[in-house]
Amino acid sequence: MGKFRFYDDSGLADCEIYLKIEKCIPGDIPLYIMSIVTQDTRDIVGQITLQVAYSAKVYYGGHIGYRVAEEFRGHNYALKACRLMFKQAKKHKMNQLIITCNPDNIPSRRTLEKLGGFLREIVPLPEQHELYARGDREKCIFLFKI
């Protein structure tokens, strides 16, 4: 198998935000870490990640993870950033992604529903998963065809 190739962040923008690569981490599960930045003020409003692999670890944690700073919530930045991150996943020929959230995280569930995700299941986390150690016990598993 050849060396994994990370792609740049060109084209990861809309009229409100853009994604800027902060770090690319190679390994068994290559990872992009990007800032979510507003077009007008250049404020960094959050962060989004993409794991480029299919595995049990990714099944529970998701291919895409995001966080928007509290003072910037309510502007659909996570939704918009996920749509842009789908473009990055397509560069890697990924056609199906998983994004997860805790069942009680209603804002994230709404975001994933608006994004067009299909709630496949709500599952208990395996005790050996790193998210279990952080206190998570269940995950909503949303599937996305991109």
Side-chain angles (χ1 to χ4, degrees), residues 67 129-137:
R67 181 173 308 243
H129 198 281
E130 64 189 45
L131 294 173
Y132 191 93
R134 292 188 207 166
D136 293 351
R137 295 297 179 259

Side-chain angles (χ1 to χ4, degrees), residues 53-54 59 63 89 93-98 120 142-146:
Y54 294 97
Y59 184 77
H63 289 102
K93 302 193 181 342
M94 299 177 83
N95 57 9
Q96 180 172 289
L97 296 177
I98 294 168
R120 180 174 183 192
F142 281 86
L143 297 179
F144 295 85
K145 301 269 187 210
I146 61 168

